Coordinates of all heavy atoms in Angstrom, one line a residue:
D1 N 158.2 60.4 -136.2 CA 157.1 59.5 -136.0 C 156.8 58.7 -137.3 O 156.4 57.6 -137.2 CB 156.0 60.3 -135.5 CG 156.2 60.9 -134.1 OD1 156.9 60.3 -133.3 OD2 155.5 61.9 -133.7
S2 N 156.9 59.4 -138.4 CA 156.6 58.8 -139.7 C 157.5 57.6 -139.9 O 157.1 56.6 -140.5 CB 156.6 59.7 -140.8 OG 155.6 60.7 -140.7
F3 N 158.8 57.8 -139.6 CA 159.8 56.7 -139.8 C 159.4 55.5 -139.0 O 159.4 54.4 -139.4 CB 161.2 57.2 -139.5 CG 162.2 56.2 -139.7 CD1 162.7 55.9 -140.9 CD2 162.8 55.7 -138.6 CE1 163.7 55.0 -141.1 CE2 163.9 54.7 -138.7 CZ 164.3 54.4 -140.0
N4 N 159.1 55.8 -137.7 CA 158.8 54.7 -136.8 C 157.5 54.0 -137.2 O 157.3 52.8 -137.0 CB 158.8 55.1 -135.3 CG 160.2 55.5 -134.9 OD1 161.1 54.9 -135.3 ND2 160.2 56.5 -134.0
A5 N 156.5 54.8 -137.7 CA 155.2 54.3 -138.1 C 155.4 53.3 -139.3 O 154.7 52.4 -139.5 CB 154.3 55.4 -138.5
R6 N 156.5 53.4 -140.0 CA 156.8 52.6 -141.1 C 157.7 51.4 -140.7 O 158.3 50.7 -141.5 CB 157.6 53.3 -142.2 CG 156.8 54.4 -142.9 CD 157.7 55.3 -143.8 NE 157.0 56.3 -144.4 CZ 156.5 56.3 -145.6 NH1 156.6 55.2 -146.4 NH2 155.8 57.3 -146.1
G7 N 157.8 51.3 -139.4 CA 158.5 50.1 -138.9 C 160.0 50.4 -138.6 O 160.8 49.5 -138.3
G8 N 160.4 51.6 -138.8 CA 161.9 51.9 -138.7 C 162.8 51.3 -139.7 O 163.9 51.1 -139.4
T9 N 162.3 50.8 -140.8 CA 163.1 50.2 -141.8 C 163.3 51.2 -142.9 O 162.6 52.1 -143.1 CB 162.3 48.9 -142.4 OG1 161.1 49.3 -143.0 CG2 162.1 47.9 -141.3
G10 N 164.3 50.9 -143.8 CA 164.7 51.7 -144.9 C 165.4 52.9 -144.4 O 166.1 52.8 -143.3
Y11 N 165.4 54.0 -145.1 CA 166.2 55.1 -144.9 C 165.4 56.3 -145.1 O 164.4 56.4 -145.7 CB 167.4 55.2 -145.8 CG 168.4 54.0 -145.7 CD1 168.2 52.9 -146.4 CD2 169.4 54.2 -144.8 CE1 169.0 51.8 -146.2 CE2 170.3 53.1 -144.6 CZ 170.1 51.9 -145.4 OH 171.0 50.9 -145.2
I12 N 165.9 57.4 -144.5 CA 165.3 58.8 -144.7 C 166.4 59.5 -145.4 O 167.6 59.6 -145.0 CB 165.0 59.5 -143.4 CG1 163.9 58.8 -142.6 CG2 164.6 61.0 -143.7 CD1 163.5 59.4 -141.3
R13 N 166.1 60.1 -146.6 CA 167.0 60.9 -147.4 C 166.6 62.4 -147.2 O 165.5 62.8 -147.4 CB 167.0 60.5 -148.8 CG 168.0 61.4 -149.7 CD 168.1 61.0 -151.1 NE 168.6 59.6 -151.2 CZ 169.8 59.3 -151.2 NH1 170.8 60.2 -151.0 NH2 170.3 58.1 -151.3
V14 N 167.6 63.2 -146.8 CA 167.4 64.6 -146.7 C 168.2 65.3 -147.7 O 169.4 65.0 -147.9 CB 167.9 65.1 -145.2 CG1 167.7 66.6 -145.1 CG2 167.1 64.4 -144.1
V15 N 167.5 66.1 -148.5 CA 168.2 66.9 -149.6 C 168.1 68.4 -149.3 O 167.0 68.9 -149.2 CB 167.6 66.6 -150.9 CG1 168.3 67.3 -152.1 CG2 167.6 65.1 -151.2
G16 N 169.2 69.0 -149.2 CA 169.3 70.5 -148.9 C 169.4 71.2 -150.2 O 170.1 70.8 -151.1
H17 N 168.7 72.4 -150.3 CA 168.7 73.2 -151.5 C 169.0 74.7 -151.1 O 168.9 75.0 -149.9 CB 167.3 73.3 -152.1 CG 166.9 71.9 -152.6 ND1 167.1 71.4 -153.8 CD2 166.3 70.8 -151.9 CE1 166.6 70.2 -153.9 NE2 166.1 69.8 -152.8
A18 N 169.4 75.4 -152.1 CA 169.6 76.9 -151.9 C 169.1 77.6 -153.0 O 168.7 77.1 -154.1 CB 171.2 77.1 -151.8
S19 N 169.0 78.9 -152.9 CA 168.5 79.8 -154.0 C 169.7 80.4 -154.8 O 170.8 80.4 -154.3 CB 167.6 80.9 -153.5 OG 168.4 81.9 -152.9
S20 N 169.5 80.8 -155.9 CA 170.5 81.4 -156.7 C 170.5 82.9 -156.8 O 170.9 83.5 -157.8 CB 170.5 80.8 -158.2 OG 169.3 81.1 -158.8
A21 N 169.8 83.5 -155.8 CA 169.6 84.9 -155.8 C 170.8 85.9 -155.9 O 170.7 86.9 -156.4 CB 168.8 85.3 -154.6
S22 N 171.9 85.5 -155.4 CA 173.1 86.4 -155.3 C 173.7 86.5 -156.7 O 174.2 85.5 -157.3 CB 174.1 85.9 -154.3 OG 175.2 86.8 -154.3
T23 N 173.7 87.7 -157.2 CA 174.3 88.0 -158.5 C 175.6 88.8 -158.4 O 176.2 89.0 -159.4 CB 173.3 88.7 -159.4 OG1 172.9 89.9 -158.8 CG2 172.1 87.9 -159.6
R24 N 176.0 89.2 -157.3 CA 177.2 90.0 -157.1 C 178.4 89.2 -157.0 O 179.5 89.7 -156.9 CB 177.0 91.0 -156.0 CG 176.0 92.1 -156.3 CD 175.9 93.0 -155.1 NE 175.1 92.3 -154.0 CZ 175.2 92.6 -152.7 NH1 176.1 93.5 -152.3 NH2 174.5 91.8 -151.8
L25 N 178.3 87.8 -157.0 CA 179.4 87.0 -156.8 C 179.9 86.3 -158.1 O 179.0 86.2 -159.0 CB 179.1 85.9 -155.8 CG 178.6 86.3 -154.4 CD1 178.1 85.1 -153.7 CD2 179.8 86.9 -153.7
S26 N 181.1 85.9 -158.2 CA 181.5 85.2 -159.3 C 180.7 83.9 -159.4 O 180.2 83.4 -158.4 CB 183.0 84.9 -159.4 OG 183.3 83.9 -158.4
E27 N 180.6 83.3 -160.6 CA 179.9 82.0 -160.7 C 180.4 80.9 -159.8 O 179.7 80.2 -159.1 CB 179.9 81.5 -162.2 CG 179.2 80.2 -162.4 CD 177.7 80.3 -162.3 OE1 177.1 81.4 -162.2 OE2 177.0 79.3 -162.4
A28 N 181.8 80.8 -159.7 CA 182.4 79.7 -158.9 C 182.1 80.0 -157.4 O 181.8 79.1 -156.7 CB 183.9 79.7 -159.2
R29 N 182.2 81.2 -157.0 CA 181.9 81.5 -155.5 C 180.5 81.3 -155.2 O 180.2 80.8 -154.2 CB 182.3 83.0 -155.3 CG 182.3 83.4 -153.9 CD 183.3 82.7 -153.0 NE 183.2 83.2 -151.6 CZ 183.2 82.4 -150.6 NH1 183.3 81.1 -150.7 NH2 183.0 82.9 -149.4
R30 N 179.5 81.7 -156.1 CA 178.1 81.5 -155.8 C 177.8 80.0 -155.7 O 177.1 79.6 -154.8 CB 177.3 82.1 -157.0 CG 175.8 81.9 -156.8 CD 175.0 82.4 -158.0 NE 175.3 81.7 -159.2 CZ 174.9 80.4 -159.5 NH1 174.0 79.8 -158.7 NH2 175.2 79.9 -160.7
L31 N 178.4 79.2 -156.6 CA 178.2 77.8 -156.5 C 178.7 77.2 -155.2 O 178.0 76.3 -154.5 CB 178.8 77.1 -157.7 CG 178.1 77.3 -159.1 CD1 179.0 76.7 -160.1 CD2 176.7 76.7 -159.1
Q32 N 179.9 77.7 -154.8 CA 180.4 77.2 -153.5 C 179.6 77.5 -152.4 O 179.2 76.7 -151.5 CB 181.9 77.7 -153.4 CG 182.5 77.3 -152.1 CD 183.8 78.0 -151.8 OE1 184.3 78.9 -152.6 NE2 184.5 77.6 -150.7
I33 N 179.2 78.8 -152.3 CA 178.4 79.3 -151.1 C 177.0 78.6 -151.1 O 176.6 78.2 -150.1 CB 178.2 80.8 -151.2 CG1 179.6 81.5 -150.8 CG2 177.1 81.3 -150.3 CD1 179.6 82.9 -151.0
N34 N 176.4 78.5 -152.3 CA 175.1 77.9 -152.3 C 175.2 76.4 -151.9 O 174.3 75.8 -151.3 CB 174.4 78.1 -153.6 CG 173.9 79.5 -153.7 OD1 173.6 80.2 -152.7 ND2 173.7 79.9 -154.9
F35 N 176.2 75.7 -152.3 CA 176.4 74.3 -151.9 C 176.5 74.2 -150.4 O 175.9 73.4 -149.8 CB 177.6 73.6 -152.6 CG 177.9 72.2 -152.1 CD1 177.0 71.2 -152.7 CD2 178.8 71.9 -151.2 CE1 177.2 69.9 -152.2 CE2 179.0 70.7 -150.8 CZ 178.2 69.6 -151.3
E36 N 177.4 75.1 -149.8 CA 177.6 75.1 -148.4 C 176.3 75.4 -147.6 O 176.0 74.8 -146.6 CB 178.6 76.1 -148.0 CG 180.0 75.7 -148.5 CD 181.1 76.8 -148.4 OE1 180.7 77.9 -147.9 OE2 182.3 76.5 -148.7
R37 N 175.5 76.3 -148.1 CA 174.2 76.6 -147.5 C 173.2 75.4 -147.6 O 172.5 75.1 -146.6 CB 173.6 77.9 -148.2 CG 174.3 79.1 -147.8 CD 173.6 80.3 -148.5 NE 174.3 81.5 -148.2 CZ 174.2 82.7 -148.8 NH1 173.5 82.7 -150.0 NH2 174.8 83.7 -148.3
S38 N 173.2 74.8 -148.7 CA 172.3 73.6 -148.9 C 172.8 72.4 -148.0 O 172.0 71.8 -147.4 CB 172.2 73.2 -150.3 OG 173.4 72.6 -150.9
Q39 N 174.1 72.3 -147.9 CA 174.6 71.3 -146.9 C 174.3 71.6 -145.5 O 173.9 70.7 -144.8 CB 176.1 71.2 -147.2 CG 176.7 70.0 -146.5 CD 178.2 69.9 -146.9 OE1 178.9 70.9 -147.0 NE2 178.6 68.7 -147.2
A40 N 174.3 72.9 -145.1 CA 174.0 73.2 -143.8 C 172.5 73.0 -143.5 O 172.1 72.6 -142.3 CB 174.3 74.7 -143.5
R41 N 171.7 73.3 -144.5 CA 170.2 73.0 -144.3 C 170.0 71.5 -144.1 O 169.2 71.1 -143.1 CB 169.4 73.5 -145.4 CG 169.2 74.9 -145.5 CD 168.3 75.4 -146.6 NE 168.2 76.8 -146.5 CZ 168.8 77.7 -147.2 NH1 169.7 77.2 -148.1 NH2 168.7 79.0 -147.1
A42 N 170.6 70.7 -144.9 CA 170.4 69.3 -144.8 C 170.9 68.7 -143.4 O 170.3 67.9 -142.8 CB 171.1 68.5 -145.9
T43 N 172.1 69.2 -143.0 CA 172.7 68.8 -141.8 C 171.8 69.2 -140.6 O 171.6 68.4 -139.7 CB 174.1 69.4 -141.6 OG1 174.9 69.0 -142.7 CG2 174.7 69.1 -140.3
A44 N 171.3 70.4 -140.6 CA 170.3 70.8 -139.6 C 169.1 69.9 -139.4 O 168.7 69.5 -138.3 CB 169.9 72.2 -139.7
V45 N 168.5 69.5 -140.6 CA 167.4 68.6 -140.5 C 167.8 67.2 -140.1 O 167.1 66.6 -139.2 CB 166.7 68.5 -142.0 CG1 165.7 67.5 -142.0 CG2 166.1 69.9 -142.3
M46 N 168.9 66.7 -140.5 CA 169.4 65.4 -140.1 C 169.7 65.4 -138.6 O 169.3 64.4 -138.0 CB 170.8 65.1 -140.8 CG 171.4 63.8 -140.4 SD 173.1 63.6 -141.0 CE 173.9 64.7 -139.9
R47 N 170.2 66.5 -138.1 CA 170.5 66.5 -136.6 C 169.2 66.4 -135.8 O 169.0 65.7 -134.8 CB 171.2 67.8 -136.2 CG 172.7 67.6 -136.6 CD 173.4 68.9 -136.2 NE 174.9 68.7 -136.6 CZ 175.7 69.7 -136.9 NH1 175.2 70.9 -136.8 NH2 176.9 69.5 -137.2
E48 N 168.1 67.1 -136.3 CA 166.8 67.1 -135.7 C 166.2 65.7 -135.8 O 165.6 65.2 -134.8 CB 165.9 68.1 -136.3 CG 166.3 69.5 -135.9 CD 166.2 69.8 -134.4 OE1 165.3 69.4 -133.7 OE2 167.2 70.4 -133.9
L49 N 166.3 65.1 -136.9 CA 165.8 63.7 -137.0 C 166.5 62.8 -136.0 O 165.8 61.9 -135.3 CB 166.0 63.2 -138.4 CG 165.1 63.8 -139.5 CD1 165.6 63.5 -140.9 CD2 163.6 63.5 -139.3
V50 N 167.8 62.9 -135.9 CA 168.5 62.0 -135.0 C 168.1 62.4 -133.5 O 167.9 61.5 -132.7 CB 170.1 62.1 -135.2 CG1 170.9 61.5 -134.1 CG2 170.4 61.6 -136.6
K51 N 168.0 63.7 -133.2 CA 167.6 64.1 -131.9 C 166.2 63.5 -131.5 O 165.9 63.1 -130.4 CB 167.5 65.6 -131.8 CG 167.4 66.1 -130.4 CD 167.2 67.6 -130.2 CE 167.9 68.5 -131.1 NZ 167.6 69.9 -130.8
D52 N 165.4 63.4 -132.6 CA 164.0 62.8 -132.4 C 163.9 61.3 -132.4 O 162.9 60.7 -132.4 CB 163.1 63.4 -133.5 CG 162.7 64.8 -133.2 OD1 162.9 65.3 -132.1 OD2 162.2 65.5 -134.1
G53 N 165.1 60.7 -132.5 CA 165.1 59.2 -132.3 C 165.4 58.4 -133.5 O 165.5 57.1 -133.5
V54 N 165.6 59.0 -134.7 CA 166.0 58.2 -135.9 C 167.4 57.9 -135.8 O 168.2 58.8 -135.6 CB 165.7 59.1 -137.2 CG1 166.1 58.3 -138.4 CG2 164.2 59.4 -137.3
P55 N 167.8 56.6 -136.0 CA 169.2 56.3 -136.0 C 170.0 57.0 -137.0 O 169.5 57.0 -138.2 CB 169.2 54.7 -136.2 CG 167.9 54.3 -135.8 CD 166.9 55.4 -136.2
A56 N 171.2 57.5 -136.7 CA 172.0 58.3 -137.7 C 172.3 57.4 -138.9 O 172.5 57.9 -140.0 CB 173.3 58.8 -136.9
S57 N 172.5 56.1 -138.6 CA 172.8 55.2 -139.7 C 171.6 55.0 -140.8 O 171.8 54.5 -141.8 CB 173.2 53.8 -139.2 OG 172.1 53.3 -138.5
K58 N 170.5 55.5 -140.4 CA 169.3 55.5 -141.3 C 169.0 56.8 -142.0 O 168.1 56.9 -142.7 CB 168.1 55.0 -140.4 CG 168.2 53.6 -139.9 CD 168.1 52.6 -141.0 CE 168.0 51.3 -140.4 NZ 167.6 50.3 -141.5
V59 N 169.9 57.8 -141.8 CA 169.7 59.1 -142.4 C 170.7 59.3 -143.5 O 171.9 59.2 -143.2 CB 169.7 60.2 -141.4 CG1 169.4 61.6 -142.1 CG2 168.6 60.0 -140.3
L60 N 170.3 59.5 -144.7 CA 171.2 59.8 -145.8 C 171.1 61.3 -146.2 O 169.9 61.8 -146.1 CB 170.8 59.0 -147.1 CG 170.7 57.5 -146.9 CD1 170.2 56.8 -148.1 CD2 172.1 56.9 -146.5
M61 N 172.1 61.9 -146.5 CA 172.1 63.4 -146.7 C 172.7 63.7 -148.0 O 173.7 63.2 -148.5 CB 172.9 64.1 -145.6 CG 172.7 65.5 -145.5 SD 173.6 66.3 -144.2 CE 175.2 66.3 -144.9
D62 N 172.1 64.6 -148.8 CA 172.6 65.2 -150.0 C 172.4 66.7 -149.9 O 171.6 67.2 -149.3 CB 171.7 64.7 -151.2 CG 171.9 63.2 -151.5 OD1 173.1 62.8 -151.4 OD2 171.0 62.6 -151.9
A63 N 173.3 67.4 -150.6 CA 173.3 68.8 -150.8 C 173.4 69.1 -152.3 O 174.3 68.6 -152.9 CB 174.3 69.5 -150.1
V64 N 172.5 69.9 -152.9 CA 172.5 70.1 -154.3 C 172.6 71.6 -154.7 O 172.6 72.0 -155.8 CB 171.2 69.6 -155.0 CG1 171.3 68.0 -154.9 CG2 170.0 70.2 -154.5
G65 N 173.0 72.5 -153.7 CA 173.1 73.9 -154.0 C 171.9 74.5 -154.6 O 170.8 74.2 -154.1
D66 N 172.0 75.2 -155.7 CA 170.9 75.9 -156.3 C 170.5 75.1 -157.7 O 169.9 75.7 -158.5 CB 171.1 77.3 -156.6 CG 172.4 77.5 -157.5 OD1 173.0 76.6 -158.0 OD2 172.8 78.8 -157.6
A67 N 171.0 73.9 -157.8 CA 170.8 73.2 -159.1 C 169.4 72.6 -159.3 O 169.1 72.3 -160.4 CB 171.8 72.0 -159.1
Q68 N 168.5 72.6 -158.3 CA 167.2 72.1 -158.5 C 166.1 73.0 -158.0 O 165.3 72.7 -157.1 CB 167.1 70.8 -157.8 CG 168.0 69.7 -158.4 CD 168.0 68.4 -157.5 OE1 167.1 68.2 -156.6 NE2 168.8 67.4 -157.9
P69 N 166.0 74.2 -158.6 CA 164.9 75.1 -158.1 C 163.6 74.6 -158.6 O 163.4 74.0 -159.5 CB 165.3 76.4 -158.9 CG 165.9 76.0 -160.1 CD 166.8 74.8 -159.7
V70 N 162.6 74.9 -157.7 CA 161.2 74.6 -158.0 C 160.3 75.8 -158.2 O 159.2 75.7 -158.6 CB 160.6 73.6 -156.9 CG1 161.3 72.3 -156.9 CG2 160.6 74.2 -155.6
Y71 N 160.9 77.0 -157.9 CA 160.2 78.2 -158.0 C 160.9 79.1 -158.9 O 162.1 79.0 -159.1 CB 160.0 78.9 -156.6 CG 159.3 78.0 -155.7 CD1 159.8 77.2 -154.7 CD2 157.8 78.0 -155.7 CE1 159.1 76.5 -153.8 CE2 157.1 77.2 -154.9 CZ 157.7 76.5 -153.9 OH 157.0 75.6 -153.1
D72 N 160.2 80.1 -159.6 CA 160.9 81.0 -160.4 C 162.0 81.8 -159.7 O 161.7 82.1 -158.6 CB 159.9 82.0 -161.0 CG 158.9 81.4 -161.9 OD1 159.2 80.4 -162.6 OD2 157.7 81.9 -162.0
T73 N 163.0 82.0 -160.4 CA 164.1 82.8 -159.8 C 163.7 84.3 -159.8 O 163.0 84.7 -160.6 CB 165.4 82.6 -160.5 OG1 165.3 82.9 -161.9 CG2 165.9 81.2 -160.3
G74 N 164.1 85.0 -158.7 CA 163.8 86.4 -158.6 C 162.6 86.6 -157.7 O 161.7 85.7 -157.7
G75 N 162.5 87.6 -157.0 CA 161.4 87.9 -156.2 C 161.2 86.9 -155.1 O 162.1 86.3 -154.6
Q76 N 159.9 86.8 -154.6 CA 159.6 86.0 -153.6 C 159.8 84.5 -153.8 O 159.9 83.7 -152.9 CB 158.2 86.2 -153.0 CG 158.0 87.6 -152.5 CD 158.7 87.8 -151.2 OE1 159.9 87.4 -151.0 NE2 158.1 88.4 -150.3
G77 N 159.8 84.1 -155.1 CA 159.9 82.7 -155.4 C 161.2 82.1 -154.9 O 161.3 80.9 -154.6
E78 N 162.2 82.9 -154.8 CA 163.5 82.4 -154.3 C 163.4 81.8 -152.9 O 164.2 80.9 -152.6 CB 164.6 83.6 -154.4 CG 165.1 83.9 -155.7 CD 165.9 82.7 -156.4 OE1 166.6 82.0 -155.6 OE2 165.9 82.6 -157.6
N79 N 162.6 82.4 -152.1 CA 162.5 81.9 -150.8 C 162.1 80.4 -150.7 O 162.6 79.7 -149.8 CB 161.4 82.7 -149.9 CG 161.9 84.1 -149.7 OD1 163.1 84.4 -149.6 ND2 160.9 85.0 -149.6
G80 N 161.3 80.0 -151.7 CA 160.9 78.6 -151.7 C 162.0 77.6 -152.2 O 162.0 76.4 -151.9
N81 N 163.0 78.2 -152.8 CA 164.1 77.4 -153.2 C 165.2 77.2 -152.1 O 166.0 76.3 -152.2 CB 164.8 78.0 -154.4 CG 163.9 78.0 -155.7 OD1 163.2 77.0 -155.9 ND2 164.1 79.0 -156.5
R82 N 164.9 77.9 -151.0 CA 165.8 77.7 -149.8 C 165.0 76.7 -148.9 O 164.2 77.0 -148.2 CB 166.0 79.0 -149.1 CG 166.7 80.0 -150.0 CD 166.8 81.3 -149.2 NE 167.3 82.3 -150.1 CZ 166.7 83.5 -150.5 NH1 165.4 83.7 -150.0 NH2 167.2 84.3 -151.3
R83 N 165.4 75.4 -149.1 CA 164.6 74.3 -148.4 C 165.4 73.1 -148.2 O 166.4 72.9 -148.7 CB 163.4 74.1 -149.3 CG 163.7 73.3 -150.6 CD 162.6 73.3 -151.6 NE 162.9 72.4 -152.7 CZ 163.6 72.7 -153.7 NH1 164.2 73.9 -153.8 NH2 163.8 71.9 -154.7
A84 N 164.8 72.2 -147.4 CA 165.3 70.9 -147.3 C 164.1 70.0 -147.5 O 163.0 70.2 -147.0 CB 165.9 70.6 -145.9
E85 N 164.4 68.9 -148.3 CA 163.3 67.9 -148.6 C 163.6 66.6 -147.9 O 164.8 66.2 -147.7 CB 163.2 67.7 -150.1 CG 162.7 69.0 -150.8 CD 162.8 68.7 -152.4 OE1 163.7 68.2 -152.9 OE2 161.7 69.2 -153.0
I86 N 162.6 65.9 -147.5 CA 162.8 64.7 -146.8 C 162.0 63.6 -147.6 O 160.8 63.7 -147.9 CB 162.2 64.7 -145.3 CG1 162.9 65.8 -144.6 CG2 162.3 63.4 -144.7 CD1 162.3 66.1 -143.2
F87 N 162.7 62.5 -147.8 CA 162.1 61.3 -148.6 C 162.3 60.1 -147.8 O 163.4 59.8 -147.2 CB 162.8 61.2 -149.9 CG 162.8 62.5 -150.8 CD1 163.8 63.3 -150.8 CD2 161.6 62.7 -151.6 CE1 163.7 64.5 -151.6 CE2 161.6 63.8 -152.4 CZ 162.6 64.7 -152.4
F88 N 161.3 59.2 -147.9 CA 161.5 57.8 -147.2 C 161.9 56.9 -148.4 O 161.4 57.0 -149.5 CB 160.1 57.4 -146.7 CG 159.7 58.2 -145.5 CD1 158.8 59.2 -145.6 CD2 160.3 57.9 -144.3 CE1 158.4 59.9 -144.5 CE2 159.9 58.7 -143.2 CZ 158.9 59.7 -143.3
Q89 N 162.9 56.1 -148.1 CA 163.4 55.1 -149.1 C 163.4 53.7 -148.5 O 163.8 53.5 -147.4 CB 164.8 55.4 -149.5 CG 164.9 56.8 -150.3 CD 166.4 56.9 -150.8 OE1 167.2 57.2 -149.9 NE2 166.5 56.9 -152.1
G90 N 162.9 52.8 -149.4 CA 162.9 51.4 -149.1 C 162.3 51.0 -147.8 O 162.5 50.2 -147.0

């Protein structure tokens, strides 16, 4: 609805994130898994936006793994790092 309220112009950027909570994996494996998780989050949000009527050509998607945490690592803060963010552009 917000996209259409803006006249359906510009783009919606969806950025998927993951937490870095897993310490039992090698660094390379953790990075790979977290990237895949963040990509899956962004893809799920993108699909819902398209299902709700946003043209697929207007949705941009990024996945950043655990590279951009906003909450302290460890404990309950990690849950907030498992997220997808939506931005309106142009």
